[in-house]
Amino acid sequence: SLSSNSDTAEFCPGFKDVDAFVKRGLGGVVAATKASGLLPQAGDEFDFYRSFPGFQDFCAVQGERLLHCMSQLMQHHGCRSFMKDRSKLTGLEERFDLVIESNDVILEKVGIMLDEASGVTRSQPVMPAGYQPPRIVVSSWNRKGNDHSGETFHLLHAKNIQRPQLKFKEKVDNSNTPFVAKIFVKPNAIKPLPSYFTNKKLQKERPEDLDVPPALADFIHQLRTQEHMDDMFSHPYQYELEHLVMPEILRSRPDPQLYKPLAETSCTFIETLEDLVALNEKLAKTTEFAVDLEHHSYRSFLGITCLMQISTREEDFIIDTLELRSEMYILNESFTDPTIVKVFHGADSDIEWLQKDFGVYVVNMFDTHHAARSLNLGRNSLDHLLKLYCSVDSNKRYQLADWRIRPLPEEMLKYAQADTHYLLYVYDRVRADLFDAANGQSNLIQVVWSKSKDLCLKKYVKPIFTEESYMELHRKQKKSFNSQQLVAFRLLFSWRDKLAREEDESTGYVLPNHMMMKIAEELPKEPQGIIACCNPTPPLVRQQINELHQLIKQAREIPLLKVSEIYVLHNVTLLTLLQSESTLFGPHDTSHVSESDLMELSLQGSDNHNVPRVILLFLLKEDEGVGNSGHLTVAQQKACSILESFENPFRMYLPSKDIHISKNAKYDPSTKIYEISNRWKLQSIEKQQKEAQAKQEAKKQAKKAKEELKKAKQSYQESLQNVSTVRQQLMVNGLNKRSTYTFQTPPSAAFTPFDYNQSNFKVFAGMITSFCCVCLRSDESMVYPEIRFRYFCKVGEFIEHQFNMIILHMFCMCVRDGSVFLMFTLFFRGKIQGLHSV
Ligand code: AMP
Ligand code: MN
Ligand code: ZN
């Protein structure tokens, strides 16, 4: 459909139409690919050639040329290229990242242009399924379908495919909780399946059953299932796999059994349970069969396995795993049978996908990819093995096709069939070669078999969002961001993660990395500016443009600081930020601070009184600042337990570990809610009585503490009026002699204590999306003598979200009855709003 319809003008100099141009281009690419395939491979051959200076020089010159060429292409598309900032980029990995990034951009452009060429405007609504014939959705390098001149060729935009998720019997669990094995029967078990999996009641207690905010629900679920934790997260077939011995059949050199010609082999498409059961019966009678999967990951958060191909010596099968997703588990009978060898090629992902989507495990597997590696074949791809052993010129053109489409076009079915059709023969051949390579011994086979077994032991791990995730990506991107950019990046990252989970889309679909970086970098003032950063604009970005605009606005409101260094030490993340005088205290529009106002970071320089203030952003180690509980005062111990509660703010609603809870109550969700809302009243009567006593005592103490707090606040206010610097104020309190940081101006706004009684921790439940806690560096309390203070990112997280404020300075104090007080300086819209307590 792209062909030029003008017969007169040339499409471009030297080419009469697009086809001619494409033909030439494709020819070039194919020739280049072939040539690169002929180069000596890493390993012996390459090292040998490397020893010749002539070869080295040749490589260096050609390498330069290629890099230059690629750089030009990247620059042409407005991408970052490695020639430009060459000095900074040294590693192959960084360069590779740049190539990937550029590929993203270019492929997205191609997708859009193809859309346009085929008359699909981007604002066009999605057609209901069945409204139009399904279209072939394949990669751009695929040939056009024979006669279907009207077909469009989307690269990744498969808009007209009905989402298979809608038909899944079991809804996809994108929640931010670890993956739990999907297994409830365990065929071929030596060790029985743990009760957690066989007890339906236990499993049903999922967070969504609880009428509580999601964050709390997740936590409750975690706690509730704690005793089953080990079982839940262990590999159901670990025992069987670890006790597996290599089958006798693998110990001798095989006589390769030639595959049946592809054309003469029946290929059964399986989409009903009956057929699947019949297949399972058939497989159970074999001694080996070959398996492959096709997977889709663009329009789903966790990805979807769309197809399973199975080949026996006689027949090929293709299972529609979208249709039979919930029934696939029955194949465990043959897949975990230790007497049947399952042959895969490159099973790393397959093993995970089988667990993730079907709860299927593999016991006794042979990976021909590992065999190829052990044979030092140079290239280990299936294409290569097929060429080598079967003289079949396969081509992986449908590898990245959208495998969700139904009915599957004939061409794609054939492609899928070929993926396993020859595999058993390849299995024979590599085994024979492995024997020959080991002088007739089975030790190489043993190595491959053992590596394959290790693969089977792999557990699927769900992507989990933590406050660290964005930093991980940020570090990879190798950009140095200032404080506003970093906050924007963090906000965008968590927005994207949340939306991707909710909408069940990949993060790449919601907002590709390079676009996210661009928005964070440019901090557009207007929604239109955000759109301009994203070409083409992802649908969800367009839809949520106001939300995104708010996030960027929020980021622009924080003080502009240059983040010169990010220290990551174990679980301590320390951002050291430096800021010019005017930005911290007093009214100030942060967006007007110029780069030159920013000073270079210096951890030591802060000793100098004239040096502008230093603000540190901390995520402190849990055990820091409080010390060993062995020699702590009572107050300190209480502080400790409160600190612990900040690991998870809901801990205070949960029973201490030693409290006995009746077994029945534990498994009843409604009772659970009751327990939580009533602070786990399901304690023994004895306990309750004790508690009542303690409460009275506590009340008395609370009263006393309240008075003391009032006094403290008063004296603090007084001190505010008398001292001119925060440092002096600290001196007045005589508590901060160790502080090496200086603060010269007092907060300009008057201090108005917040009415503590109005606050309630529960209001924060479920509001966690983000936090920003910028703390003044200090080691001691400024206000209250017996109080230690710490920086709480987790708490900041809630409060910021709730009030849309950035907490500048926050610490916790513990008063004798164990109640929690938070004091913090609120920084809102660029102004200090005063010191508050909650
Ligand atoms: P295969 O084992 O080659 O049939 O590939 C199985 C699945 O892996 C495909 O359906 C794709 O989803 C995925 N896949 C394979 N190769 C790539 C690749 N180069 N990039 C991304 N995904 C891939
Ligand atoms: Mn595969
Ligand atoms: Zn495949």
Side-chain angles (χ1 to χ4, degrees):
S1 61
L2 282 178
S3 318
S4 161
N5 41 19
S6 78
D7 302 325
T8 47
E10 277 192 332
F11 159 70
C12 91
F15 299 97
K16 79 175 192 317
D17 58 17
V18 178
D19 284 342
F21 183 75
V22 168
K23 214 170 191 172
R24 168 81 181 277
L26 198 61
V29 172
V30 169
T33 313
K34 264 196 181 142
S36 81
L38 291 175
L39 287 171
Q41 296 296 309
D44 295 345
E45 215 181 337
F46 181 75
D47 291 337
F48 172 67
Y49 281 101
R50 270 303 272 192
S51 60
F52 296 98
F55 182 80
Q56 276 182 35
D57 295 345
F58 176 80
C59 284
V61 171
Q62 296 302 319
E64 262 325 284
R65 269 185 62 194
L66 279 173
L67 282 181
H68 185 72
C69 193
M70 287 165 81
S71 264
Q72 280 190 325
L73 264 174
M74 289 152 116
Q75 280 166 28
H76 175 75
H77 287 281
C79 308
R80 286 195 302 147
S81 75
F82 21 72
M83 291 313 255
K84 258 189 178 164
D85 39 16
R86 202 165 175 180
S87 51
K88 281 181 245 157
L89 292 161
T90 44
L92 187 63
E93 200 185 321
E94 285 96 332
R95 287 183 170 174
F96 199 71
D97 284 349
L98 284 182
V99 173
I100 290 171
E101 190 183 306
S102 307
N103 274 344
D104 275 358
V105 172
I106 295 167
L107 291 180
E108 286 282 345
K109 278 188 188 166
V110 172
I112 283 302
M113 283 168 170
L114 288 172
D115 270 3
E116 276 170 15
S118 60
V120 181
T121 49
R122 272 181 283 135
S123 52
Q124 191 178 302
V126 180
M127 289 298 193
Y131 198 78
Q132 51 190 182
R135 297 165 172 184
I136 297 180
V137 181
V138 291
S139 319
S140 55
W141 49 87
N142 175 44
R143 280 189 261 101
K144 274 200 275 179
N146 306 339
D147 268 303
H148 315 271
S149 46
E151 276 170 353
T152 52
F153 291 81
H154 299 262
L155 180 62
L156 292 166
H157 300 270
K159 289 183 179 131
N160 36 12
I161 291 179
Q162 197 193 4
R163 293 170 68 77
Q165 293 98 311
L166 299 174
K167 285 198 296 182
F168 291 171
K169 285 179 196 141
E170 190 204 351
K171 291 296 155 219
V172 182
D173 178 15
N174 291 338
S175 67
N176 202 30
T177 49
F179 177 77
V180 179
K182 286 185 176 184
I183 187 169
F184 55 95
V185 282
K186 184 178 170 186
N188 302 304
I190 302 174
K191 199 177 163 189
L193 195 63
S195 65
Y196 174 81
F197 297 104
T198 46
N199 184 341
K200 283 226 170 72
K201 211 169 170 190
L202 270 175
Q203 288 169 53
K204 271 197 182 137
E205 287 177 16
R206 297 293 300 175
E208 54 266 34
D209 298 336
L210 302 174
D211 186 21
V212 289
L216 184 52
D218 281 357
F219 183 65
I220 294 163
H221 179 65
Q222 236 180 55
L223 238 110
R224 172 189 290 162
T225 48
Q226 211 151 41
E227 65 177 284
H228 302 283
M229 210 69 105
D230 288 348
D231 293 341
M232 285 164 73
F233 303 125
S234 68
H235 190 298
Y237 281 91
Q238 184 173 349
Y239 184 86
E240 285 75 6
L241 280 164
E242 279 171 355
H243 290 81
L244 190 65
V245 285
M246 192 168 83
E248 206 47 49
I249 200 167
L250 290 179
R251 292 186 193 278
S252 50
R253 191 184 188 282
D255 277 331
Q257 182 184 338
L258 193 65
Y259 52 88
K260 272 167 85 174
L262 189 66
E264 289 166 29
T265 312
S266 92
C267 181
T268 316
F269 192 71
I270 294 182
E271 48 188 339
T272 65
L273 182 56
E274 286 100 316
D275 288 353
L276 187 67
V277 169
L279 170 63
N280 188 48
E281 299 287 305
K282 227 176 238 177
L283 294 178
K285 291 187 190 108
T286 62
T287 50
E288 70 264 300
F289 59 86
V291 187
D292 186 41
L293 302 172
E294 303 304 330
H295 189 258
H296 175 89
S297 55
Y298 188 57
R299 300 300 308 273
S300 145
F301 185 70
L302 299 172
I304 309 165
T305 306
C306 301
L307 229 53
M308 179 189 279
Q309 303 100 287
I310 291 182
S311 291
T312 64
R313 297 275 181 189
E314 305 299 320
E315 287 178 85
D316 297 326
F317 303 90
I318 298 180
I319 307 173
D320 184 349
T321 54
L322 297 179
E323 207 54 55
L324 292 168
R325 184 181 166 93
S326 307
E327 281 83 31
M328 288 300 286
Y329 73 92
I330 65 171
L331 292 181
N332 265 330
E333 210 177 319
S334 40
F335 275 60
T336 61
D337 186 332
T339 63
I340 305 173
V341 181
K342 273 68 66 177
V343 181
F344 283 72
H345 182 88
D348 300 62
S349 302
D350 303 51
I351 291 293
E352 293 187 19
W353 296 337
L354 287 171
Q355 294 178 28
K356 164 177 71 87
D357 290 333
F358 317 131
V360 166
Y361 294 81
V362 187
V363 176
N364 194 8
M365 191 260 278
F366 189 95
D367 191 329
T368 52
H369 173 81
H370 277 295
R373 277 170 58 165
S374 290
L375 286 170
N376 285 321
L377 293 180
R379 274 174 299 154
N380 310 321
S381 67
L382 183 59
D383 303 39
H384 185 59
L385 295 187
L386 291 186
K387 182 140 187 132
L388 187 67
Y389 294 123
C390 314
S391 306
V392 169
D393 243 328
S394 72
N395 114 29
K396 277 283 176 191
R397 65 175 181 272
Y398 286 109
Q399 196 167 44
L400 297 178
D402 192 328
W403 288 99
R404 298 173 303 162
I405 49 172
R406 295 292 182 276
L408 272 163
E410 193 55 37
E411 234 183 314
M412 283 170 79
L413 283 170
K414 273 271 163 281
Y415 170 92
Q417 182 189 356
D419 258 356
T420 52
H421 179 78
Y422 305 98
L423 208 51
L424 287 179
Y425 177 67
V426 170
Y427 161 66
D428 291 346
R429 291 290 301 266
V430 292
R431 274 189 300 146
D433 286 1
L434 283 168
F435 265 96
D436 298 343
N439 297 320
Q441 301 297 304
S442 63
N443 47 341
L444 278 179
I445 290 270
Q446 178 76 47
V447 169
V448 173
W449 182 84
S450 171
K451 276 189 178 150
S452 306
K453 188 190 70 186
D454 290 345
L455 267 185
C456 295
L457 277 164
K458 216 165 125 181
K459 282 185 286 184
Y460 170 69
V461 178
K462 198 158 122 182
I464 293 296
F465 174 83
T466 67
E467 282 297 343
E468 293 288 291
S469 344
Y470 86 96
M471 286 308 294
E472 229 165 80
L473 180 59
H474 176 255
R475 277 192 291 272
K476 261 196 212 148
Q477 304 285 336
K478 304 254 166 10
K479 284 231 163 136
S480 84
F481 274 169
N482 65 35
S483 57
Q484 294 183 355
Q485 289 169 327
L486 193 61
V487 168
F489 184 70
R490 179 173 59 72
L491 292 173
L492 288 170
F493 188 93
S494 67
W495 168 85
R496 181 175 82 162
D497 184 85
K498 183 165 169 280
L499 199 61
R501 286 176 199 271
E502 281 170 8
E503 299 288 322
D504 198 11
E505 301 283 5
S506 67
T507 51
Y509 174 81
V510 176
L511 178 60
N513 283 346
H514 66 276
M515 294 185 188
M516 188 162 71
M517 289 302 286
K518 194 151 190 227
I519 300 172
E521 203 174 357
E522 297 191 2
L523 296 170
K525 282 204 173 90
E526 305 299 327
Q528 208 44 49
I530 297 174
I531 299 276
C533 287
C534 310
N535 188 16
T537 316
L540 289 169
V541 168
R542 200 176 282 282
Q543 194 185 315
Q544 298 229 351
I545 191 66
N546 291 330
E547 173 93 357
L548 285 169
H549 175 58
Q550 289 306 318
L551 294 182
I552 302 302
K553 220 168 110 192
Q554 202 177 324
R556 292 182 76 98
E557 275 162 10
I558 81 142
L560 184 56
L561 310 164
K562 194 172 192 168
V563 181
S564 311
E565 296 278 353
I566 295 160
Y567 302 90
V568 183
L569 301 159
H570 307 288
N571 53 346
V572 183
T573 306
L574 160 64
L575 293 179
T576 310
L577 312 175
L578 191 80
Q579 174 194 45
S580 76
E581 193 130 325
S582 54
T583 48
L584 179 52
F585 296 115
H588 178 72
D589 179 356
T590 54
S591 60
H592 295 153
V593 181
S594 73
E595 277 283 321
S596 59
D597 285 344
L598 298 170
M599 313 277 287
E600 269 307 309
L601 164 100
S602 155
L603 265 168
Q604 292 80 25
S606 46
D607 235 352
N608 183 339
H609 286 224
N610 298 321
V611 164
R613 298 166 187 83
V614 174
I615 299 176
L616 297 174
L617 194 148
F618 271 91
L619 287 160
L620 271 188
K621 241 197 251 175
E622 282 308 313
D623 56 359
E624 219 173 271
V626 176
N628 192 331
S629 60
H631 27 78
L632 289 181
T633 64
V634 177
Q636 281 172 329
Q637 279 172 19
K638 277 179 182 162
C640 247
S641 68
I642 287 166
L643 292 181
E644 268 168 29
S645 82
F646 284 110
E647 273 168 37
N648 191 310
F650 310 113
R651 177 155 290 174
M652 66 180 79
Y653 296 106
L654 298 165
S656 60
K657 285 185 186 101
D658 54 339
I659 290 169
H660 168 78
I661 296 164
S662 107
K663 266 253 151 65
N664 290 337
K666 199 160 188 170
Y667 300 136
D668 184 350
S670 57
T671 340
K672 257 322 188 213
I673 303 171
Y674 179 75
E675 282 173 34
I676 291 139
S677 56
N678 294 288
R679 293 205 184 192
W680 299 75
K681 274 185 185 163
L682 281 182
Q683 301 156 354
S684 65
I685 294 167
E686 191 190 349
K687 268 271 179 198
Q688 282 185 12
Q689 282 171 343
K690 266 190 197 162
E691 218 182 43
Q693 277 177 0
K695 254 188 199 160
Q696 280 213 322
E697 189 71 18
K699 256 188 196 163
K700 263 191 235 162
Q701 293 201 345
K703 214 170 166 186
K704 216 164 120 193
K706 219 172 176 181
E707 273 160 22
E708 278 180 51
L709 178 71
K710 217 164 151 189
K711 253 190 259 168
K713 278 177 182 166
Q714 227 164 13
S715 74
Y716 175 69
Q717 261 187 309
E718 279 161 17
S719 74
L720 263 190
Q721 284 154 12
N722 297 334
V723 295
S724 60
T725 70
V726 177
R727 186 183 174 82
Q728 280 168 1
Q729 172 202 322
L730 297 175
M731 302 287 222
V732 167
N733 285 331
L735 289 165
N736 205 45
K737 297 184 185 79
R738 277 189 289 141
S739 173
T740 52
Y741 300 91
T742 62
F743 314 99
Q744 293 178 335
T745 337
S748 53
F751 168 57
T752 28
F754 180 75
D755 181 4
Y756 199 142
N757 293 330
Q758 288 176 7
S759 91
N760 178 347
F761 257 117
K762 272 183 250 175
V763 303
F764 303 127
M767 305 299 286
I768 317 161
T769 55
S770 58
F771 77 89
C772 179
C773 174
V774 185
C775 304
L776 298 177
R777 172 79 167 82
S778 178
D779 297 319
E780 302 285 348
S781 161
M782 291 193 291
V783 189
Y784 211 67
E786 52 175 288
I787 299 156
R788 313 267 317 178
F789 84 78
R790 294 258 320 255
Y791 317 95
F792 296 108
C793 301
K794 285 267 165 61
V795 178
E797 180 175 335
F798 308 140
I799 291 170
E800 181 206 1
H801 188 87
Q802 188 70 13
F803 302 118
N804 216 1
M805 291 172 185
I806 308 281
I807 292 109
L808 246 196
H809 174 198
M810 190 168 75
F811 56 90
C812 154
M813 38 199 240
C814 152
V815 194
R816 271 180 215 98
D817 67 338
S819 52
V820 180
F821 289 83
L822 295 172
M823 299 203 67
F824 53 87
T825 316
L826 285 179
F827 194 97
F828 186 48
R829 296 193 182 279
K831 289 174 199 157
I832 288 283
Q833 301 287 328
L835 188 70
H836 291 249
S837 66
V838 168

